[in-house]
Amino acid sequence: MFQLPFPVRDANANGGDKSLGNLPEWDLSDLYSGEDATELKRDLDWLEQACASFASDFEGNLAGLDAAGLLDCVLRNEKINQIAGRIMSFAGLRYYQLTTDACRAKFMSDMQEKITNFTTPLVFFTLELNRLEDDHLDGLFDQCAELARYKPVFDRIRAMKPYQLSDELEKFLHDLGVVGDAWERMFDETIAGLEFEVNGDQLGIEGTLNLLTDPKRDNREAAARELAEVFGSNIKTFARVHNTQAKEKEILDRWRGMETAQTGRHLSNQVEPEVVEALRNAVVNAYPKLSHRYYELKRKWLGLDVMQVWDRNAPLPMEDPTIVDWDRAEKTVMDAYTAFDPRMGELAEPFFRKGWIDAAVKPGKAPGAFAHPTVTNVHPYVMLNYLGKPRDVMTLAHELGHGVHQVLAAGQGEMLSSTPLTLAETASVFGEMLTFRKMLDGAKSLAERKVMLAGKVEDMINTVVRQIAFYDFECKLHDARRGGELTPDDINALWMSVQAESLGPAFEFMDGYETFWAYIPHFVHSPFYVYAYAFGDGLVNALYAVYAEGEPGFEDKYFEMLKAGGSKHHKELLAPFGLDASDPAFWDKGLSMISGFIDELEAMEE
C-alpha cells in the first residue's frame, strides 16, 4: 500500500486572515500539471507494466539470484516505489487542500485503488526475501558494495519475518487495505465538514480550535462548549471509526502473532519496546515537576482559583497580542536557521520562493500542519494553517525543519531516505529550538522573556506530556477493544482517565470535554504515532545541550545525521554526539531542560 503520511503536528492547529500578508500556496506542477496530465497517464501505464514484469522476472526466483541480480531487483523495486509515491503524493496533497471536494476525494481513491491493484503482485518480494538465510544474504552483501548499501532496508523488512503470513494471505491483506483507508477518509471528511457556531460566527474546526487561545476567556469558553456540543452530536460516528480501526488492527496483530498492539509501531520505528517504556515512564514520573508545576504557575498568572480546559492554551495576561504577519514569520525563521549554519538557510529558502508551502486557512482544507517528502527526485511540500500567532511561527520552524531534513536525506534514494518516526522529529524540533532561542535572545524586557519562556514550556508540555498521555489513552483503547465493542461512553472514560493525571490538580474538566479524543487524527491514521513527538523532543533537548556546550564540529555532525535518513539506527546516529537513547538517564536529561525553564519562571515570581 502506498499512502500519504498524515500531519506530523498535534492537531491543535490554526487559521489565517488577509492581515497576515501574502500567504503562499502550493504549486503542485512539479509533480503533475493536473489530473489529466499526459505525464500522469504515462506513469500509470509504466507502473502497471513495471509491476507485472517485476513479478514475472523475480517471483519464485529470489533465492537463485546472484549479487548483481538481487541489486537489479532492488533498483527496479525502488523505481516502482518512486513512481507510485509521486502519483499518490499528487493525489493526496490535492485532496488535503480541499477534503470536501468530491472530485478530489474520488481521484485520490481511484489512484490508491489502481496502485494497490498494480502492486499486489509485488507482495511476494518481502515474503521471499524473508525466506532467505542470513548467511546467504551476508555473502551477497560481501560481493557487492552497492547492494550492501541497502542492508538497512533488508534488516527492516526481515524484522517482520516472525510475523509474516502465507503468500496468499499477504496478498489478500494488501488488496483489502483500500477498505481500511475508507474509514480514514470518512474521519477526514467528517472533521473537515463539521460546522461550529460561536458568538454568531460560523466556523470550521480550525477557526474554532484557534479560539481556545483567544485572550478573552468568554470566547475560549464559548469555543470549548461548542466543540463539545458538535463532537457530542457526532460521537457515534467517531466511536464507530475508532472501534472499526482498532478491531481491524487487533485482527491483523492476532493473525501475525504480534505480542502487543504497539509492536508493529515499534518495529516500523526501529526502536526497542524497552526504550519506549523508559521514555513513557520518565515522562509520567515527571508530570508533577513539569505540567503540574507549570499549570499551577499559570493558574496564578490568570488570577483563577481553578483552571478550566479552555484555559490550558490561553495567552498570558502580560502577553502582547500582536499578530505576526507572514513576512515577519519568514524572516524570524530564516534568520534563526541561517545563524545556526548558512547551509540551513540555503536549504530552507526555496520553500518560500517556489510554491512548496501552503499556509492559509481555507474552508475544507485539512487541519493541522505537516511536511510531506513526496519522492526523492522532486521535493517536499509543507502545509500550515497559519494564524499569525507566535506558536504559528514555531509551527513554521517545525515543519520547515522536516522539509530541510527530507531534502538532505533524499540523496539516500527512495528506500533509504525515509526516517522512522522517532528520528523524523529531530530536525523539526531542533528547528523550533533554534527559532525559540533566537527570539528569546531578542527579548527586550523581563516580561517579554517570561512570555516567551512560558510559551516554549507550553509547547514542550504539548509535545511531551500531552503526547505521552495520548499514547497511554491509545494503549488503553486498544487493550479495551480486545475485550469487545466500546461505546462512546467507554472511550470517553478512557480519555478522562489520562487527562487529570497528566494535567494536574490546577484543572477542572467541563462536561463534554470527555469527547475531545474525537478530533485527534493520529489515533485514526497512525496508531501509536504520538510517542514519536516525545521521543523527538527528548532527543533534541539532549542534542541541543551538546550544541550549547560548544561541541567541536557539531554543525557538520548534525548535517551528516540528517543526510543519513533511514540508513542508520538511532544508536549509530547519536553516538558521534556522545548520546544513547537506550540509557534511561538519557530521557531525564532531556526532561531537565523543560524543568529548568520552569525553574526560571518560578524564580521570576520571587
Side-chain angles (χ1 to χ4, degrees):
M1 291 291 293
F2 294 88
Q3 296 174 302
L4 191 72
F6 204 71
V8 290
R9 272 297 272 174
D10 182 45
N12 289 334
N14 306 303
D17 60 46
K18 293 178 182 176
S19 68
L20 299 173
N22 187 23
L23 296 173
E25 293 189 2
W26 280 334
D27 175 4
L28 298 179
S29 63
D30 287 346
L31 294 166
Y32 298 104
S33 59
E35 289 186 19
D36 56 355
T38 55
E39 295 84 359
L40 177 59
K41 183 181 185 310
R42 176 202 67 199
D43 283 354
L44 282 166
D45 291 343
W46 179 90
L47 189 64
E48 183 175 22
Q49 182 276 327
C51 290
S53 63
F54 184 92
S56 174
D57 292 345
F58 295 113
E59 188 166 14
N61 299 325
L62 252 59
L65 294 176
D66 60 13
L70 186 56
L71 176 62
D72 177 53
C73 177
V74 168
L75 293 176
R76 284 171 63 178
N77 183 68
E78 187 167 46
K79 180 68 173 176
I80 286 169
N81 275 300
Q82 187 174 80
I83 297 299
R86 187 181 194 124
I87 293 167
M88 282 314 302
S89 292
F90 176 69
L93 291 171
R94 285 183 76 252
Y95 170 71
Y96 287 142
Q97 280 184 303
L98 191 59
T99 62
T100 51
D101 185 322
C103 293
R104 294 188 186 210
K106 172 179 164 50
F107 177 71
M108 185 175 75
S109 182
D110 287 348
M111 292 302 101
Q112 181 72 81
E113 196 165 317
K114 281 179 184 290
I115 289 173
T116 298
N117 291 338
F118 295 164
T119 56
T120 294
L122 274 59
V123 172
F124 79 89
F125 176 66
T126 56
L127 305 179
E128 286 192 32
L129 190 65
N130 283 347
R131 286 197 283 268
L132 300 180
E133 295 295 331
D134 290 341
D135 289 348
H136 174 71
L137 262 183
D138 289 341
L140 296 180
F141 293 148
D142 289 341
Q143 295 169 34
C144 179
E146 194 175 351
L147 177 65
R149 196 174 77 83
Y150 288 92
K151 186 178 184 300
V153 177
F154 285 74
D155 289 344
R156 286 200 293 273
I157 292 170
R158 289 167 73 80
M160 284 295 294
K161 187 175 181 178
Y163 311 105
Q164 190 168 289
L165 300 174
S166 70
D167 292 12
E168 189 175 33
L169 267 177
E170 292 289 356
K171 288 180 179 178
F172 169 73
L173 292 173
H174 182 87
D175 269 355
L176 196 65
V178 294
V179 179
D181 291 347
W183 288 97
E184 295 178 20
R185 277 183 50 209
M186 180 181 178
F187 171 84
D188 295 342
E189 290 164 13
T190 301
I191 283 288
L194 294 179
E195 294 183 348
F196 304 84
E197 184 174 334
V198 184
N199 298 333
D201 293 330
Q202 286 291 126
L203 302 170
I205 191 165
E206 289 298 340
T208 311
L209 287 169
N210 178 62
L211 284 174
L212 295 179
T213 63
D214 194 275
K216 295 181 179 177
R217 195 170 192 237
D218 288 349
N219 290 344
R220 299 198 304 271
E221 179 178 357
R225 295 198 182 281
E226 179 66 2
L227 286 164
E229 176 68 27
V230 174
F231 292 158
S233 298
N234 292 273
I235 203 66
K236 288 183 179 179
T237 299
F238 291 121
R240 172 59 48 221
V241 171
H242 281 67
N243 267 291
T244 304
Q245 293 285 78
K247 183 60 181 178
E248 179 187 46
K249 188 176 189 322
E250 185 271 325
I251 292 169
L252 287 170
D253 288 348
R254 175 159 39 86
W255 275 75
R256 291 192 181 283
M258 296 261 179
E259 293 84 356
T260 69
Q262 301 89 335
T263 297
R265 177 61 64 200
H266 298 338
L267 287 169
S268 68
N269 282 346
Q270 299 159 58
V271 64
E272 300 76 13
E274 56 271 21
V275 172
V276 178
E277 188 66 11
L279 163 65
R280 183 263 171 200
N281 291 341
V283 174
V284 171
N285 291 338
Y287 283 169
K289 71 176 183 180
L290 299 181
S291 48
H292 296 189
R293 192 160 59 114
Y294 173 74
Y295 287 128
E296 182 58 26
L297 271 176
K298 186 167 186 178
R299 181 191 66 75
K300 293 176 183 175
W301 293 334
L302 294 174
L304 301 171
D305 292 329
V306 66
M307 289 173 69
Q308 292 287 349
V309 292
W310 56 79
D311 299 314
R312 184 172 63 84
N313 286 324
L316 301 181
M318 58 292 221
E319 190 168 329
D320 183 354
T322 301
I323 293 296
V324 182
D325 67 28
W326 180 255
D327 288 345
R328 188 170 146 214
E330 176 185 335
K331 185 178 188 314
T332 299
V333 177
M334 284 295 293
D335 284 353
Y337 273 40
T338 303
F340 169 70
D341 192 298
R343 290 172 291 178
M344 187 84 90
E346 290 169 10
L347 289 163
E349 197 269 343
F351 284 84
F352 295 98
R353 303 286 165 262
K354 296 186 175 181
W356 299 2
I357 299 176
D358 195 302
V361 168
K362 305 161 200 168
K365 183 177 175 180
F370 64 85
H372 178 55
T374 70
V375 285
T376 55
N377 61 346
V378 186
H379 56 76
Y381 283 92
V382 164
M383 193 193 83
L384 307 170
N385 280 279
Y386 189 80
L387 254 183
K389 300 196 174 186
R391 280 196 176 110
D392 297 337
V393 180
M394 290 296 109
T395 300
L396 170 60
H398 180 103
E399 301 306 341
L400 200 61
H402 278 301
V404 166
H405 193 174
Q406 290 156 0
V407 169
L408 284 169
Q412 293 288 344
E414 215 60 51
M415 296 174 75
L416 282 164
S417 61
S418 181
T419 54
L421 295 178
T422 43
L423 297 172
E425 294 299 322
T426 304
S428 54
V429 179
F430 196 84
E432 276 192 79
M433 185 63 77
L434 290 173
T435 304
F436 167 70
R437 293 287 187 176
K438 187 76 173 175
M439 294 171 73
L440 191 67
D441 289 344
K444 297 179 179 63
S445 66
L446 193 64
E448 188 177 348
R449 182 179 179 87
K450 181 177 180 178
V451 168
M452 286 185 185
L453 275 173
K456 185 59 178 172
V457 168
E458 289 198 16
D459 284 345
M460 294 170 103
I461 286 173
N462 282 338
T463 304
V464 177
V465 170
R466 183 167 163 81
Q467 302 302 329
I468 289 298
F470 282 179
Y471 176 66
D472 279 354
F473 166 72
E474 284 191 276
C475 292
K476 290 184 176 188
L477 174 73
H478 285 266
D479 184 59
R481 182 64 182 90
R482 292 185 177 207
E485 178 88 6
L486 301 175
T487 67
D489 286 344
D490 291 334
I491 303 177
N492 292 348
L494 295 175
W495 173 255
M496 293 307 296
S497 73
V498 301
Q499 291 303 303
E501 178 189 21
S502 63
L503 294 178
F507 280 93
E508 276 186 354
F509 298 95
M510 69 171 188
D511 289 341
Y513 180 69
E514 65 274 8
T515 64
F516 274 46
W517 53 270
Y519 78 96
I520 310 297
H522 303 76
F523 299 157
V524 176
H525 286 272
S526 307
F528 305 109
Y529 182 120
V530 290
Y531 74 72
Y533 290 119
F535 193 110
D537 196 88
L539 186 154
V540 167
N541 289 345
L543 196 64
Y544 195 88
V546 174
Y547 169 59
E549 290 162 7
E551 171 79 8
F554 180 92
E555 291 84 354
D556 288 337
K557 292 178 186 178
Y558 180 73
F559 275 94
E560 288 306 308
M561 179 174 68
L562 300 189
K563 286 178 184 176
S567 66
K568 295 180 179 179
H569 187 266
H570 62 78
K571 262 187 178 298
E572 197 177 354
L573 285 173
L574 291 174
F577 303 96
L579 299 172
D580 182 0
S582 63
D583 179 358
F586 173 85
W587 301 113
D588 292 328
K589 182 174 184 177
L591 294 172
S592 68
M593 180 177 286
I594 311 176
S595 186
F597 286 158
I598 300 172
D599 289 344
E600 185 174 345
L601 287 168
E602 285 183 335
M604 290 179 182
E605 298 299 294
E606 296 174 0

